[in-house]
Amino acid sequence: MLNKQIRQFPLLYVHQHSRAIVGYGAYEMAGVECKMYGITNALLVTTGLKGTGIIEEVCNVLKNAGISYTIFDKVTSNPKDFEVKEGAKVYIEAKCNGVVTVGGGSAHDAGKGIRLCVANEGEKTDLRNFMAVLNPHYTTRIPTYKVVNIPHVAINTTTGTGADCTAFAIINDTEWVYKLILVVPGIAPSVGISDPLLMRLQPNHMVAWSGMDALCHAIEPFIGRLNLPVSHATGLRAIKLIAENLREAYANPWNEKAIKNMAWAQLIASMSYNMGGGMGMVHGLAHMVSVIKEKHHGLTNAIMMIPVERFNMVAAPEKFAEIATAFGVDTRGMTKIQAAEKAIEEMEKLRNDVGITDISLKQFNFTDADIEHTVKWALNDLSYEANPRNMTGDDIRKIMKSMM
Ligand SMILES: [Fe+2]
């Protein structure tokens, strides 16, 4: 008889990761990829990317492949529930049979949200029904969901998001002022196309913000309590690539080698959390700052990273010591704690070097009421699951007040 005495909960979920195409000129594959997945009439979802010429280029690629499209460019940074619902309405009215997203995480996550709505009750879909929280644990709800089987070609223009290949859609609930994390089978794009040719058009600050986001994607699962061996491998490699390339990519996004290495770093880093490593409270708290104050996801992660990781360090000093070596620090002769502290120093130095020097929450007029709103939501957020150190509401208050 099967001995069920040792039963693990939560079970570790390795989420679907998309196929990926990486390289200069990869965006030209968008047409054949659409055809392969049966997309003949696409909803092209974007924040606009005005002044870059990227949307015009992608439209030409689709036209040349004989694919018709309707542009939906009403998505904003931190995509909102009502934008996703409007996108679903346009998709249905235009009788689309697939989604193409062009941009960073906002475009890709909005595209995923639109597909989720179309696969359910269109614009009437209640996104809250699909939100991943810890109580009730999200994995217990997954078997009740309809699989999202609408094809999605995601063309990635930033070096940080990872959202072009992951099974999570992060959408603002504008009434709750909370970021819903939607985890539904099939929601990962069919293919993610990461093209350094487009990524080099990012402004310098965007390279910094999105690159720091990618660094958090690598670090949080690496030190996380889900302790997924896959994330140990991907995390360390991504950290090394970011440590070695983010400064140059930020200073000059046209530096071919640096931006290409960042394209790989963001993809590898996204595997770390998506393949089951989970996230941590840098993201947990950054999500709240960005939803309350409408700030860029990467910037808020960069701002929360050092205070939260200083708090976390005592829970996983060996892991932090390994991070120091990935940053190129010679840790021989150091104690575990000395090496771990070096890792935090290196993260901070990198963040400063890419121009993110003001990490006060005061700059966003963050108030005590905002801290209480954060406490109310953050501890049931999926991001908390993998955080290496237990965190209480008072811990959150202390961390955030120290940044006021
Ligand atoms: Fe992120």
Side-chain angles (χ1 to χ4, degrees):
M1 199 169 162
L2 182 66
N3 182 347
K4 288 192 174 180
Q5 239 173 0
I6 298 172
R7 193 169 184 280
Q8 181 185 345
F9 189 83
L11 298 171
L12 289 184
Y13 274 53
V14 177
H15 298 287
Q16 173 194 12
H17 206 79
S18 307
R19 284 176 58 243
I21 309 177
V22 184
Y24 280 92
Y27 80 93
E28 292 179 4
M29 298 303 292
V32 292
E33 287 292 321
C34 281
K35 275 186 177 168
M36 192 174 93
Y37 287 105
I39 302 177
T40 54
N41 183 22
L43 185 74
L44 196 160
V45 179
T46 179
T47 54
L49 303 174
K50 294 201 172 63
T52 64
I54 291 175
I55 299 302
E56 293 80 355
E57 275 290 321
V58 171
C59 287
N60 282 335
V61 169
L62 296 180
K63 264 185 231 158
N64 290 340
I67 292 156
S68 52
Y69 55 85
T70 301
I71 295 178
F72 179 70
D73 61 1
K74 291 187 182 167
V75 177
T76 56
S77 184
N78 300 312
K80 324 285 182 287
D81 42 13
F82 60 85
E83 295 167 355
V84 164
K85 288 177 184 205
E86 190 180 343
K89 188 168 173 250
V90 174
Y91 180 104
I92 292 163
E93 281 170 3
K95 298 187 169 52
C96 295
N97 57 7
V99 166
V100 174
T101 54
V102 188
S106 301
H108 306 318
D109 282 357
K112 293 173 194 171
I114 289 168
R115 287 163 54 235
L116 172 64
C117 288
V118 172
N120 285 279
E121 294 162 77
E123 60 176 316
K124 292 199 182 75
T125 305
D126 186 351
L127 294 173
R128 291 173 185 171
N129 290 338
F130 303 93
M131 73 172 181
V133 290
L134 300 179
N135 187 19
H137 197 268
Y138 79 106
T139 54
T140 60
R141 300 171 76 183
I142 283 181
T144 66
Y145 296 156
K146 230 188 252 177
V147 174
V148 177
N149 53 15
I150 296 164
H152 179 172
V153 173
I155 303 170
N156 193 19
T157 62
T158 69
T159 35
T161 171
D164 52 307
C165 283
T166 60
F168 299 82
I170 319 291
I171 305 294
N172 281 13
D173 186 309
T174 48
E175 190 194 329
W176 278 355
V177 193
Y178 176 62
K179 277 183 181 279
L180 304 172
I181 302 180
L182 310 172
V183 189
V184 179
I187 204 170
S190 316
V191 61
I193 297 176
S194 279
D195 192 336
L197 200 70
L198 309 182
M199 290 166 170
R200 67 185 177 169
L201 300 177
Q202 293 171 97
N204 308 68
H205 71 273
M206 192 58 74
V207 177
W209 294 357
S210 61
M212 293 309 286
D213 185 25
L215 182 62
C216 293
H217 296 163
I219 289 175
E220 297 213 87
F222 180 73
I223 60 173
R225 73 172 71 194
L226 296 183
N227 208 20
L228 192 82
V230 179
S231 308
H232 299 164
T234 52
L236 268 194
R237 191 50 163 181
I239 293 165
K240 187 169 155 55
L241 277 170
I242 294 165
E244 290 173 353
N245 292 280
L246 181 57
R247 288 177 178 87
E248 287 96 324
Y250 156 75
N252 173 19
W254 284 63
N255 179 325
E256 287 176 25
K257 190 173 160 220
I259 207 78
K260 188 175 175 189
N261 281 336
M262 283 305 300
W264 276 109
Q266 66 93 29
L267 176 64
I268 298 168
S270 75
M271 290 173 181
S272 290
Y273 67 92
N274 193 54
M275 304 287 270
M279 210 51 99
M281 287 309 276
V282 176
H283 267 76
L285 299 187
H287 276 170
M288 294 307 302
V289 177
S290 84
V291 73
I292 294 170
K293 295 297 178 188
E294 189 56 45
K295 296 294 165 191
H296 187 270
H297 173 79
L299 173 65
T300 55
N301 272 298
I303 283 174
M304 293 312 305
M305 182 173 71
I306 302 302
V308 173
E309 298 306 22
R310 267 196 219 291
F311 172 85
N312 281 337
M313 195 264 276
V314 291
E318 296 92 350
K319 290 278 179 54
F320 279 92
E322 280 189 80
I323 290 172
T325 60
F327 267 93
V329 177
D330 183 355
T331 58
R332 284 173 299 183
M334 290 184 193
T335 66
K336 177 169 82 173
I337 299 297
Q338 284 168 337
E341 281 167 352
K342 269 276 174 222
I344 308 250
E345 267 174 44
E346 289 293 328
M347 290 176 209
E348 191 167 14
K349 195 163 167 358
L350 177 59
R351 191 204 63 206
N352 289 340
D353 285 351
V354 298
I356 306 169
T357 50
D358 183 356
I359 67 152
S360 76
L361 290 174
K362 217 187 252 171
Q363 64 179 312
F364 304 144
N365 297 319
F366 214 73
T367 64
D368 285 349
D370 294 328
I371 293 179
E372 289 312 311
H373 186 72
T374 301
V375 169
K376 177 181 165 194
W377 290 97
L379 293 174
N380 197 30
D381 189 272
L382 185 59
S383 304
Y384 182 44
E385 186 168 46
N387 201 65
R389 181 172 172 182
N390 289 350
M391 193 179 266
T392 64
D394 275 343
D395 292 327
I396 294 174
R397 287 184 190 98
K398 213 166 154 189
I399 289 168
M400 291 190 132
K401 276 185 194 291
S402 76
M403 300 171 71
M404 301 282 265

